[in-house]
Amino acid sequence: MLSDHAQGEPKAADQGSENRIIQDVSTREPYFYSMANKWEHDNVPAGAQEIRIEARTFSAKSDDAEVSVGSYQGEDNVLLWSKPKGWVEYEVNAEKEGIYELETEYFPYIPDDGGHRQSVMMSVRINGDFPFREAHSIALERQFAEARPEKYDDAGNQLRSLIREETSWKTASFRDSEGAYSQPLLWHLNKGKNTIRIEAIREPVAVKAFRLQAPKVLPAYDDVKKTYPDVSANGNKEVIAIEGEQFSYKNSSSIQTQYDRSPHTKPASLDLVRYNTIGGTGWNKGGQAITWEFEAPKDGVYHLTLRAKQSLRKNMSVFRNIYIDGKIPFQEMKNVQFPYSGDWKGITLENPEGEPYEFYFTKGKHSIKMESTYEPYVPIILQIDQISKELRDVARELRNATGNSNDPYRVWNIDKDIPGMKERLDTLKTQFTQLTDQMLAINKVTDNVSQAFKTSAKDLEDLLKDPNEIPYSQLTIGTLQEKIETQRKDLMDTPFQIDRIFVSEPKAKLPRMESNFFEKSWNMVTSTFYSFTNENQLDKQSDDELNIWMFKGRDYVDELQQLANERFTPEHGIKVRINLIQSADLIVLGKAAGILPDIAIGVNSGSIFDYALRDAIYDFSKFPDSKRLIDKFHPGIMQPYRYDGGIYGIPETNNFNIMFYRKDILQQLGLTVPQTWDDVYKMLPTLLQNEANFYVPPDNYSFFFFQKGVELYTKDGLSSALSEPQAFEAFKQWTDLYNVFGLERQVNSFYQQFRDGTLPIGIGDFNSYMQLLVAAPEIMNEWAIAPIPGTKQSDGTIARWAAGGAPTANVLFNDTPAEKRELAWEFMKWYMSDDIQTEFGLNLEQYRGETFRWNSANVQAFANMPWKQEDLDVILEQWQWIKEYPNVPGGYMTTREIGFAWNKVAIDQQNPRIALEQAVKEINREMKRKQQEFNYIDAEGHVLKKLDLETISEPWKGVNLNDR
């Protein structure tokens, strides 16, 4: 089982609290690691039989399970699960109690049948219960290959290849979706009748059969070596070099080829882009695997050597499972350790004594697969979860004891006032020290994670030196929790990059793989020289092509360049050159140097008003047909781009706020999803009594202000409107959430606390949605979204206004000549059209993974992405209530001063009216200063000109796609 790391599940520190927990909603099943060790301790035997279950022979199913029996991809009488909903159940008779592996024969639906190129997700219950946490989310992978031959742009740079799915019937054991474990999950069956319930979570799939069988036991290397045939040695010293980027299959579209300019990386990529390696940051999640195929020239034993780089995790090791022809050949190829190395290095797979492992290959085709894992860190991660929960409990008890305020005149006696607190913190200090030692045992040197554990232990030690000051140390406790959550993520992050794999006979000589000082120096000089060629200089812009700056990553630039070459240039007769720009400061510098592009894409929306105010960018409303494009976007999203009657930005991406809730926990507590803030107030006592809470981002005041009809500025844009009575009501409602109703002022990670159930409901944005979708597979079927709570209006409707925070937009520049400006406008319309935005977004996700989900501001294209229909319906319902903050000269002071006012009230307990009045005074002072600078008022304060701010008071009807 997991005896290599069997230490049992770490125990939480003794809480010693007098607070009575009604129901700990964060309590979940044990981890598989703990259950496997328990079975081993209890001497539960391995299964004694093989049991095949035809998928079509289920004994029961849920009403919402859309399953039928039919034919798929050449197989008859298979279970067709056309939509990932509901469950099916099977009855199994086991001759004896035992532990089994569970595998299945499956075929993920292809895109033509409704598939989306994501891994299939299922959950498994045995006899009515989830046996361990990982059973909530089982991943059945797909396989992808790159479309070849390679493609190149006009300058000769290689474009990233598209991928194609390798569709076939597959057989796979049930593995955890996060790839924490190197071998299949195990399932405990009782003697006699057992029920196995399989629930579909993601992706439609055809299933032929399930199979229960005894766990596979990996042999030791010495035992395997004894089985090798006696192959007579000869004079050949064969070396087979496999280029890393020339892989055969990968099981995740997120794994990407990379280009590297190091001296010995082949093919060379100095002057032009050549994707000559694979992995790095895209190959960093547990379970991600790459397969290479090769031809062995003859029967014999071979060594395996990698030219690889593991430089992204200072002093920390990453781990890979090595498969030969689809199987881990012996124990030593499980959790192979790759220590930190600052540069490329030759790594031969060898034992601790430095002797290379020998692999026997017959003549012909073979495969090598490398799969990322972080199993050696699993015991540490489990203990981190326990410590994190204990830190939250400590912070909660300190808030309860202090009344959530710091009274400088109170004298504390910690032993009397908060009994057991010293002991709990001392236990935590000991646990941090133990974690430090465990990390050193794995990595042999101090790394960032072990150093963080060490400093956390020191922080707690300092707290305990003056224990009566502990009640004033809530910020320190919060910082410790934030740090440990960061370490948890770091331990699960396993980046690794490969240039070449060498399959060599034992005495063969391998090429040199590490560069010396002179090679590195010459390489640096050469790379610097090539960076000054015309193709890489922004000031070398051609009048015969559209010059575009794109403030996004290389993948986005490559995708848009390819679309432009294939679709825009043939239609409009002009080449398009898209430059990758990484710093927004280049717009200001480019303006000063006179080298601005024709179009800028992906500009931060917060800076567009400043460019318009300084007459650097062009007013889109001057184009006769501009209304047709602008009407595609919510008027509320357009607010940041309006200035002095013009429109200076076209939204590219959009953000939104929605409410996330844990279905399982709300059902457990007898709570329903709140529709209004009054509903939230009613549910809070139940949440708080059960050691849970509701999350509202403390830095977002838009919900309360906009829902009460508050405008930030007067109609002429010359003064703050926050002195109005309804503004004070909204401000007090906002701060009362924290002062009266007990919401947490500091939340280090809503994502993590939502996962563990201590914040089972709260408000988040698009990034929160994607984080939960991608990085919380174990609760994928246990959470849902709803529109944010609203405010009931006099007519009975519920207003759900909220700022989304439009992330990026596109601009044109005043410096562009008139004739090119028209072509630039054509490109803008083309780029933001329904068809191109849809194709751009789908290509990004299909070829690069769901982390590239495109949040287009074009609502039709947004809806065309592969959303769950029920989630899309909620997002579009909330979309109609988006309302961004308008911009005025000096308006940046509004968010700053409102934040200061919140701190004064929520933390310093100041009177809310006084705090808001002080904020309004400072806002108006800064606005007057800026109005004078930009000639809105003269030195005496006389008004020279006014703004005419747009008022958004009705939800947008354009979100109703059927009416468009």
Side-chain angles (χ1 to χ4, degrees):
M1 296 185 191
L2 293 170
S3 55
D4 290 346
H5 306 283
Q7 300 172 10
E9 186 163 11
K11 295 180 180 179
D14 181 16
Q15 295 187 8
S17 172
E18 294 181 356
N19 295 337
R20 178 174 175 270
I21 300 177
I22 295 176
Q23 191 174 4
D24 187 352
V25 296
S26 66
T27 299
R28 303 189 67 201
E29 301 84 6
Y31 286 97
F32 170 70
Y33 175 87
S34 301
M35 287 304 301
N37 287 322
K38 181 179 183 299
W39 293 330
E40 188 170 38
H41 179 270
D42 295 344
N43 294 316
V44 179
Q49 64 187 115
E50 180 176 307
I51 306 172
R52 179 181 173 86
I53 308 166
E54 297 297 331
R56 68 178 186 276
T57 63
F58 54 87
S59 59
K61 73 179 187 70
S62 62
D63 293 338
D64 60 342
E66 298 196 21
V67 295
S68 60
V69 177
S71 300
Y72 198 77
Q73 296 293 323
E75 292 287 345
D76 299 327
N77 296 317
V78 298
L79 182 71
L80 304 178
W81 217 322
S82 57
K83 288 188 179 179
K85 290 183 178 181
W87 51 263
V88 295
E89 201 166 75
Y90 300 91
E91 293 184 356
V92 175
N93 282 298
E95 295 175 358
K96 296 181 180 179
E97 178 190 12
I99 303 298
Y100 292 83
E101 288 183 10
L102 176 60
E103 69 176 28
T104 184
E105 298 173 57
Y106 68 101
F107 197 124
Y109 273 31
I110 61 176
D112 289 346
D113 297 329
H116 291 114
R117 287 189 169 180
Q118 297 172 320
S119 60
V120 175
M121 291 281 195
M122 294 178 169
S123 69
V124 179
R125 297 183 197 233
I126 303 294
N127 297 321
D129 296 315
F130 292 109
F132 36 78
R133 295 191 191 191
E134 292 84 351
H136 287 263
S137 180
I138 306 299
L140 299 175
E141 301 292 353
R142 296 174 183 261
Q143 278 194 328
F144 304 96
E146 288 206 342
R148 295 190 174 99
E150 295 84 1
K151 293 185 177 181
Y152 300 86
D153 64 17
D154 292 341
N157 295 299
Q158 185 178 350
L159 299 174
R160 199 181 294 283
S161 297
L162 302 181
I163 62 171
R164 54 183 175 81
E165 183 176 1
E166 293 294 309
T167 57
S168 63
W169 282 93
K170 301 174 178 63
T171 299
S173 295
F174 277 23
R175 305 275 299 273
D176 70 292
S177 59
E178 292 192 335
Y181 304 101
S182 298
Q183 291 184 269
L185 297 173
L186 303 176
W187 311 87
H188 180 204
L189 297 186
N190 298 321
K191 180 180 179 180
K193 179 181 174 182
N194 296 267
T195 59
I196 300 176
R197 176 177 293 184
I198 310 290
E199 185 170 6
I201 299 176
R202 185 176 72 185
E203 288 294 302
V205 62
V207 184
K208 183 179 180 181
F210 300 99
R211 185 181 296 105
L212 290 157
Q213 57 193 10
K216 301 180 183 71
V217 179
L218 292 178
Y221 169 68
D222 289 340
D223 294 332
V224 172
K225 187 177 179 182
K226 292 175 183 176
T227 66
Y228 293 166
D230 183 16
V231 180
S232 58
N234 54 45
N236 293 335
K237 298 178 181 179
E238 195 80 38
V239 177
I240 305 163
I242 308 168
E243 292 291 338
E245 70 278 7
Q246 297 294 325
F247 65 93
S248 300
Y249 307 107
K250 58 183 179 180
N251 68 357
S252 169
S253 55
S254 298
I255 303 171
Q256 296 289 313
T257 53
Q258 309 291 338
Y259 67 92
D260 179 80
R261 301 183 188 276
S262 300
H264 291 287
T265 304
K266 305 296 180 184
S269 180
L270 287 174
D271 56 334
L272 298 171
V273 172
R274 291 290 183 271
Y275 290 109
N276 51 11
T277 69
I278 190 167
T281 55
W283 190 20
N284 67 332
K285 293 181 181 179
Q288 290 182 326
I290 308 172
T291 301
W292 296 267
E293 295 179 338
F294 69 97
E295 292 278 343
K298 63 176 185 293
D299 296 357
V301 293
Y302 296 81
H303 295 169
L304 293 183
T305 302
L306 316 174
R307 183 174 189 266
K309 183 165 72 170
Q310 201 278 93
S311 62
L312 297 177
R313 307 184 67 203
K314 183 72 172 178
N315 289 342
M316 282 185 64
S317 297
V318 301
F319 300 88
R320 292 294 185 269
N321 297 318
I322 311 294
Y323 293 75
I324 302 298
D325 296 332
K327 297 179 180 180
I328 299 178
F330 40 83
Q331 290 177 6
E332 289 79 358
M333 289 299 100
K334 187 181 80 165
N335 301 329
V336 178
Q337 185 171 6
F338 295 96
Y340 170 81
S341 174
D343 204 346
W344 290 98
K345 187 177 180 181
I347 306 171
T348 297
L349 301 185
E350 57 190 19
N351 66 19
E353 288 71 42
E355 299 172 351
Y357 290 115
E358 294 184 342
F359 300 85
Y360 180 79
F361 294 118
T362 57
K363 180 180 179 180
K365 187 175 182 180
H366 294 274
S367 69
I368 300 169
K369 182 171 82 170
M370 297 185 68
E371 176 186 66
S372 58
T373 181
Y374 55 90
E375 185 174 73
Y377 293 129
V378 166
I380 298 174
I381 292 171
L382 266 61
Q383 193 165 354
I384 284 175
D385 286 350
Q386 295 289 345
I387 292 175
S388 182
K389 183 179 185 301
E390 174 68 355
L391 285 170
R392 282 195 297 274
D393 290 343
V394 166
R396 185 181 296 112
E397 185 162 352
L398 290 177
R399 285 197 302 272
N400 292 340
T402 60
N404 215 12
S405 63
N406 291 330
D407 184 353
Y409 302 106
R410 177 167 180 177
V411 178
W412 289 88
N413 183 330
I414 194 71
D415 292 322
K416 179 180 177 182
D417 296 328
I418 317 178
M421 181 57 69
K422 282 196 311 183
E423 291 75 16
R424 294 172 73 180
L425 294 182
D426 188 62
T427 301
L428 284 168
K429 177 177 76 71
T430 301
Q431 289 179 329
F432 275 117
T433 302
Q434 291 172 347
L435 290 180
T436 304
D437 294 340
Q438 290 178 52
M439 288 298 297
L440 287 171
I442 294 173
N443 295 311
K444 311 305 180 187
V445 293
T446 298
D447 56 84
N448 292 339
V449 174
S450 62
Q451 184 61 41
F453 292 152
K454 186 175 181 179
T455 57
S456 295
K458 182 65 168 61
D459 290 341
L460 289 169
E461 182 180 328
D462 292 342
L463 279 182
L464 290 166
K465 289 178 180 177
D466 192 356
N468 290 330
E469 292 296 310
I470 289 173
Y472 302 117
S473 304
Q474 295 181 46
L475 183 60
T476 300
I477 299 297
T479 302
L480 289 175
Q481 186 183 341
E482 184 175 4
K483 279 171 44 177
I484 199 170
E485 295 291 358
T486 300
Q487 309 321 316
R488 185 187 197 278
K489 181 179 180 298
D490 287 347
L491 291 174
M492 298 170 67
D493 193 27
T494 64
F496 193 57
Q497 191 169 359
I498 290 180
D499 172 26
R500 278 172 288 171
I501 301 174
F502 297 96
V503 182
S504 61
E505 292 188 287
K507 295 183 180 180
K509 183 178 181 180
L510 298 176
R512 190 158 58 89
M513 303 184 205
E514 299 176 25
S515 307
N516 58 38
F517 171 79
F518 299 103
E519 289 171 327
K520 291 178 181 178
S521 299
W522 177 249
N523 194 72
M524 186 180 300
V525 170
T526 307
S527 297
T528 303
F529 170 78
Y530 282 126
S531 71
F532 288 99
T533 60
N534 286 346
E535 290 79 6
N536 293 304
Q537 294 188 52
L538 295 176
D539 60 337
K540 303 297 183 181
Q541 300 187 13
S542 170
D543 293 334
D544 298 328
E545 61 185 14
L546 277 178
N547 298 293
I548 299 173
W549 289 4
M550 193 172 193
F551 293 84
K552 294 191 181 295
R554 169 62 62 186
D555 294 286
Y556 297 89
V557 170
D558 287 350
E559 181 59 41
L560 185 56
Q561 183 70 70
Q562 195 160 339
L563 277 175
N565 292 347
E566 295 173 356
R567 305 281 292 276
F568 184 83
T569 296
E571 182 178 345
H572 293 86
I574 187 170
K575 289 185 177 181
V576 176
R577 180 185 175 196
I578 302 174
N579 296 282
L580 169 64
I581 307 295
Q582 297 180 330
S583 172
D585 294 339
L586 281 177
I587 289 184
V588 176
L589 298 174
K591 175 67 175 175
I595 56 170
L596 285 174
D598 303 312
I599 304 170
I601 290 175
V603 180
N604 186 292
S605 61
S607 58
I608 289 177
F609 178 77
D610 290 330
Y611 300 148
L613 195 61
R614 291 163 175 79
D615 199 32
I617 53 180
Y618 191 74
D619 177 6
F620 285 101
S621 64
K622 292 180 180 180
F623 291 110
D625 58 346
S626 62
K627 189 175 185 301
R628 184 179 303 171
L629 178 60
I630 292 169
D631 284 349
K632 286 181 175 290
F633 307 105
H634 193 312
I637 298 178
M638 299 300 300
Q639 287 285 68
Y641 315 123
R642 298 182 185 276
Y643 168 63
D644 202 19
I647 293 177
Y648 291 85
I650 297 296
E652 182 198 31
T653 56
N654 186 34
N655 198 2
F656 49 80
N657 281 287
I658 49 177
M659 183 165 60
F660 298 83
Y661 64 94
R662 288 283 298 270
K663 297 183 292 184
D664 54 339
I665 295 177
L666 261 59
Q667 182 180 11
Q668 182 180 339
L669 298 178
L671 297 172
T672 57
V673 179
Q675 295 297 315
T676 67
W677 291 107
D678 288 336
D679 296 336
V680 174
Y681 304 148
K682 291 175 183 176
M683 76 187 310
L684 278 170
T686 301
L687 289 171
L688 293 169
Q689 287 168 3
N690 289 280
E691 301 293 333
N693 212 327
F694 190 103
Y695 176 67
V696 176
D699 58 349
N700 194 331
Y701 54 86
S702 67
F703 318 126
F704 310 98
F705 283 70
F706 289 167
Q707 289 177 18
K708 284 190 175 295
V710 176
E711 299 293 337
L712 299 186
Y713 309 105
T714 55
K715 180 69 174 172
D716 60 12
L718 299 181
S719 301
S720 172
L722 298 180
S723 57
E724 299 295 325
Q726 63 267 34
F728 169 73
E729 292 176 12
F731 181 72
K732 189 172 186 305
Q733 181 188 14
W734 179 35
T735 54
D736 278 354
L737 274 177
Y738 306 91
N739 286 347
V740 177
F741 294 101
L743 265 65
E744 295 188 32
R745 296 177 175 87
Q746 180 187 14
V747 173
N748 298 312
S749 172
F750 171 58
Y751 154 75
Q752 185 58 39
Q753 290 189 234
F754 186 78
R755 285 180 73 176
D756 65 32
T758 52
L759 283 175
I761 183 167
I763 296 174
D765 61 4
F766 170 76
N767 292 323
S768 301
Y769 180 91
M770 292 307 302
Q771 192 173 22
L772 288 168
L773 184 70
V774 173
E778 78 281 4
I779 60 167
M780 181 173 290
N781 209 31
E782 295 167 5
W783 62 272
I785 60 175
I788 66 168
T791 301
K792 189 166 287 189
Q793 307 298 295
S794 57
D795 61 358
T797 60
I798 297 176
R800 304 184 189 271
W801 293 110
T808 58
N810 311 315
V811 299
L812 304 182
F813 294 95
N814 284 330
D815 293 357
T816 302
E819 61 275 10
K820 286 192 75 176
R821 188 181 297 137
E822 290 295 330
L823 282 170
W825 172 237
E826 290 300 319
F827 184 90
M828 189 75 72
K829 291 188 293 183
W830 172 84
Y831 176 53
M832 293 310 302
S833 66
D834 295 356
D835 290 346
I836 297 302
Q837 280 291 291
T838 297
E839 187 172 354
F840 181 70
L842 289 177
N843 286 349
L844 283 172
E845 182 162 353
Q846 289 178 9
Y847 301 132
R848 295 164 178 86
E850 60 186 354
T851 55
F852 280 79
R853 177 71 56 87
W854 183 238
N855 55 325
S856 176
N858 179 316
V859 66
Q860 182 65 64
F862 182 95
N864 290 339
M865 297 302 107
W867 304 97
K868 291 168 62 177
Q869 187 59 49
E870 54 267 35
D871 288 354
L872 177 62
D873 293 342
V874 170
I875 294 169
L876 293 182
E877 182 179 350
Q878 184 62 53
W879 193 305
Q880 64 183 321
W881 297 99
I882 292 177
K883 182 178 178 180
E884 300 299 340
Y885 307 115
N887 282 315
V888 299
Y892 53 82
M893 189 62 76
T894 298
T895 296
R896 185 184 307 173
E897 286 298 327
I898 289 180
F900 290 161
W902 184 89
N903 287 334
K904 292 174 182 177
V905 176
I907 297 176
D908 300 334
Q909 307 297 302
Q910 193 176 109
N911 182 284
R913 184 177 294 278
I914 293 174
L916 187 59
E917 287 175 350
Q918 291 173 341
V920 171
K921 185 184 297 184
E922 294 299 322
I923 293 167
N924 281 330
R925 179 182 290 123
E926 183 65 12
M927 287 178 65
K928 297 300 180 189
R929 190 178 74 82
K930 283 295 182 180
Q931 287 162 14
Q932 189 171 342
E933 178 183 344
F934 291 102
N935 298 316
Y936 280 84
I937 61 174
D938 60 22
E940 287 74 37
H942 299 127
V943 176
L944 303 178
K945 59 180 179 178
K946 301 179 180 179
L947 294 171
D948 184 15
L949 299 184
E950 190 91 3
T951 300
I952 310 295
S953 58
E954 295 293 330
W956 187 44
K957 304 301 183 187
V959 78
N960 300 318
L961 301 180
N962 293 333
D963 299 336
R964 299 185 75 189

